[in-house]
Amino acid sequence: MRTNFKNSVIALALMVSGLIQAQQVSFGNMQNLIPRNQDAINQFDVKKDSVEFKGISVDLGGAFALQFQAMNSFNDHQEGSYAASNGTAITNYRLNNLENQFNLPTANMTIGAQLYDGVRVNLDLYLAARHHNETWVKGGYLQIDKLDFIKKDFLAGFMKYATIKIGQMENNYGDAHFRRSDNGNAIVNPFIESNIMDSFTTEMGAELYYNRGGFVSMFGMTNGKLNQNVTEFVPAATTAATPDQNTTISPTILAKLGFDKQLSDDLRLRITGSFAHSANMSGNPWSSERAGSRYYYVMSHAAYTYGTTSVTNNATTDLAANQTTGRFNPGFGNWFTTVMVNPFVKFKGLEFFGTIELASGGDKKGVDETRKVNQFAGDVVYRFGTNDKFYIGARYNTVSGKLANADAKEVSVDRFESSLGWFMTKNILAKLGYTTQKYNDYSEFSGNSLNDLYGGKFDGLMFEAVITF
């Protein structure tokens, strides 16, 4: 959703000015709002609080992140000349050498308002991102925690534990997305990067939460579209490889069940199981993230020649087009069904968080044969010092599966990441991380040309500074 930032700010200023003239407006008196600082760590789903409604109130926040990257990548291809699988000559092939240098700074902006007792609205913008260097709207939603706008205390017994969210918003599939970096907002992530198979999307829909006595539940439905439009869906031409292509886009169904309770002053236990399914997909939860990964241009190739055709450098030709380096997209094309289980245990300063993700889907449009991709991740973080201002952590993450139904064997990607963190204040975080990632069983060629991930590996250090408010 592209937006003109200048016009948005002007419109917001006029709106606030109009509200102030019409009635008294306060700033920052928000209900049921998850903080945008260190206190947001290990906050999942939604929360209820007892903040009193004091009339319309405006909320404004921001988040900024900057990394210094010292990484390089390698593969099993030798630099120089090759013969492609069809015999065509390939000359001057090599991976890009990466400098030890700063990445593009990223920034988010949040605008919200408390509109009524138990009703607030939220809008998130990416001011600068790896994929969109200009300002874009991430999404927005209306959150309803009371139904008093219908009638005083309407369904109060139910709404004491329930929350309704409606909008084009970050879909609540799994718990891993509550510990990931969201462009400039990286304060809840103890590491530099998110999972290898990063489950994240924003679609138009609604979610209903009911959390009571440690019981956690959510049911949601979206229209299955990342980009909204009302034009007729016209399938691509039918071919032998893609027969009987979809003529519609189906809704995405979301669900979550779990248990989350502070069992004692020292021990918290949470475990959830999440489900997502689309019968006729438009996008998928592993290719819709528009901010980009933290590992800039790893495993990217320099310019080379394929026969008489010049192949461009895929790190410099279009800085926004190669934004997911270091990640894995299962590439489902017809339908998908995925389940994620997330255990979380916190004992004093020691935390364990795990991800078990079992995904399956159709290979291509009109092909219903099932292909499976599995992801497993586990991290251990120890927080210490006054107000847990320091932490040390390690995470192991692996993904395996076939890239296409016709492939004879699976490929896999393994990552180890360690991290040191220092909360200078609740709103300022400095991280230092080391990462090593390996690509296993990738073929030597991709189509007729060379496969950059053949025997691939990258490793190195990263430093990240995060500021949120």
Side-chain angles (χ1 to χ4, degrees):
M1 295 182 288
R2 194 185 314 219
T3 185
N4 185 297
F5 180 56
K6 181 179 178 181
N7 290 343
S8 298
V9 172
I10 293 173
L12 175 65
L14 292 173
M15 178 187 72
V16 172
S17 176
L19 287 171
I20 292 174
Q21 293 177 16
Q23 57 188 299
Q24 184 65 36
V25 176
S26 63
F27 292 87
N29 293 317
M30 309 298 291
Q31 296 178 317
N32 307 313
L33 182 69
I34 294 176
R36 288 186 293 269
N37 58 25
Q38 185 182 1
D39 293 335
I41 293 172
N42 300 327
Q43 295 269 3
F44 300 95
D45 303 317
V46 296
K47 77 180 187 75
K48 294 278 193 176
D49 59 36
S50 56
V51 174
E52 180 184 357
F53 176 65
K54 297 181 179 180
I56 291 180
S57 187
V58 175
D59 175 51
L60 181 64
F64 311 91
L66 173 65
Q67 306 87 38
F68 182 87
Q69 178 172 310
M71 285 191 167
N72 219 330
S73 47
F74 316 89
N75 62 23
D76 284 347
H77 296 303
Q78 300 297 316
E79 294 185 12
S81 301
Y82 284 85
S85 58
N86 64 355
T88 302
I90 296 174
T91 56
N92 299 320
Y93 173 86
R94 67 174 178 86
L95 291 181
N96 282 305
N97 294 316
L98 304 179
E99 290 187 348
N100 299 340
Q101 193 52 272
F102 288 98
N103 287 331
L104 170 76
T106 56
N108 295 13
M109 183 178 183
T110 297
I111 305 169
Q114 190 73 45
L115 303 176
Y116 199 78
D117 191 9
V119 181
R120 65 177 177 87
V121 66
N122 190 85
L123 176 67
D124 293 313
L125 300 94
Y126 292 152
L127 302 184
R130 181 176 172 184
H131 187 37
H132 295 319
N133 306 138
E134 75 280 26
T135 296
W136 278 62
V137 174
K138 170 195 171 183
Y141 59 86
L142 182 73
Q143 180 167 317
I144 302 172
D145 288 281
K146 293 182 181 179
L147 297 174
D148 287 12
F149 59 90
I150 298 176
K151 181 182 178 181
K152 179 65 176 175
D153 293 331
F154 184 74
L155 293 180
F158 175 75
M159 293 303 297
K160 182 179 179 180
Y161 306 102
T163 296
I164 302 167
K165 291 178 69 174
I166 305 169
Q168 168 93 13
M169 58 191 176
E170 182 177 332
N171 296 165
N172 186 5
Y173 162 63
D175 282 353
H177 71 111
F178 292 107
R179 287 169 66 91
R180 72 185 296 279
S181 296
D182 183 24
N183 199 46
N185 186 8
I187 206 156
V188 297
N189 187 352
F191 302 94
I192 303 287
E193 173 60 327
S194 307
N195 282 345
I196 297 172
M197 197 163 78
D198 187 32
S199 306
F200 176 94
T201 187
T202 56
E203 297 174 359
M204 186 68 70
E207 297 171 347
L208 171 64
Y209 298 79
Y210 191 85
N211 301 335
R212 181 175 184 178
F215 174 73
V216 175
S217 67
M218 186 279 300
F219 177 78
M221 181 179 294
T222 78
N223 69 348
K225 290 186 177 184
L226 176 69
N227 297 312
Q228 304 306 314
N229 62 71
V230 295
T231 57
E232 177 188 9
F233 179 80
V234 180
T238 295
T239 67
T242 56
D244 303 322
Q245 295 202 57
N246 303 331
T247 57
T248 61
I249 295 175
S250 296
T252 299
I253 307 299
L254 303 164
K256 179 182 289 188
L257 289 173
F259 175 83
D260 186 351
K261 197 162 188 177
Q262 193 75 37
L263 300 178
S264 69
D265 291 342
D266 295 331
L267 179 62
R268 177 185 175 188
L269 173 65
R270 176 183 173 94
I271 183 167
T272 62
S274 301
F275 170 85
H277 171 74
S278 178
N280 298 288
M281 59 193 287
S282 172
N284 70 58
W286 307 279
S287 65
S288 299
E289 203 265 348
R290 289 162 290 169
S293 82
R294 289 298 198 240
Y295 303 136
Y296 280 58
Y297 309 122
V298 295
M299 308 310 303
S300 64
H301 61 248
Y304 65 95
T305 303
Y306 173 75
T308 58
T309 303
S310 296
V311 180
T312 57
N313 184 322
N314 64 350
T316 60
T317 304
D318 185 350
L319 295 177
N322 195 24
Q323 83 279 8
T324 60
T325 47
R327 293 183 181 169
F328 180 96
N329 175 11
F332 300 135
N334 188 25
W335 60 273
F336 74 85
T337 298
T338 183
V339 174
M340 182 183 290
V341 178
N342 297 112
F344 172 70
V345 181
K346 180 175 176 62
F347 180 72
K348 295 186 178 180
L350 185 64
E351 300 172 3
F352 169 78
F353 181 82
T355 297
I356 301 170
E357 187 170 17
L358 310 176
S360 60
D363 197 12
K364 299 177 180 178
K365 294 290 185 184
V367 177
D368 290 328
E369 184 181 350
T370 299
R371 178 163 56 86
K372 297 181 179 180
V373 176
N374 298 326
Q375 173 168 239
F376 302 93
D379 69 63
V380 177
V381 176
Y382 181 67
R383 303 183 188 274
F384 59 98
T386 305
N387 298 320
D388 289 342
K389 67 188 301 181
F390 302 106
Y391 69 80
I392 183 171
R395 178 173 62 191
Y396 180 74
N397 188 185
T398 182
V399 175
S400 61
K402 289 185 178 182
L403 298 173
N405 285 332
D407 290 351
K409 60 183 180 179
E410 296 183 347
V411 300
S412 64
V413 185
D414 303 321
R415 176 192 298 165
F416 172 79
E417 185 174 4
S418 59
S419 184
L420 296 171
W422 173 29
F423 281 93
M424 301 166 64
T425 75
K426 280 193 171 185
N427 300 83
I428 304 174
L429 172 62
K431 311 177 194 178
L432 178 65
Y434 169 78
T435 298
T436 179
Q437 181 162 315
K438 294 181 65 177
Y439 296 83
N440 308 301
D441 298 320
Y442 277 77
S443 62
E444 184 176 2
F445 297 96
S446 178
N448 291 322
S449 196
L450 296 176
N451 188 343
D452 294 333
L453 304 182
Y454 172 62
K457 176 184 177 181
F458 66 86
D459 56 24
L461 292 169
M462 291 194 73
F463 171 81
E464 181 171 57
V466 184
I467 302 173
T468 64
F469 64 88

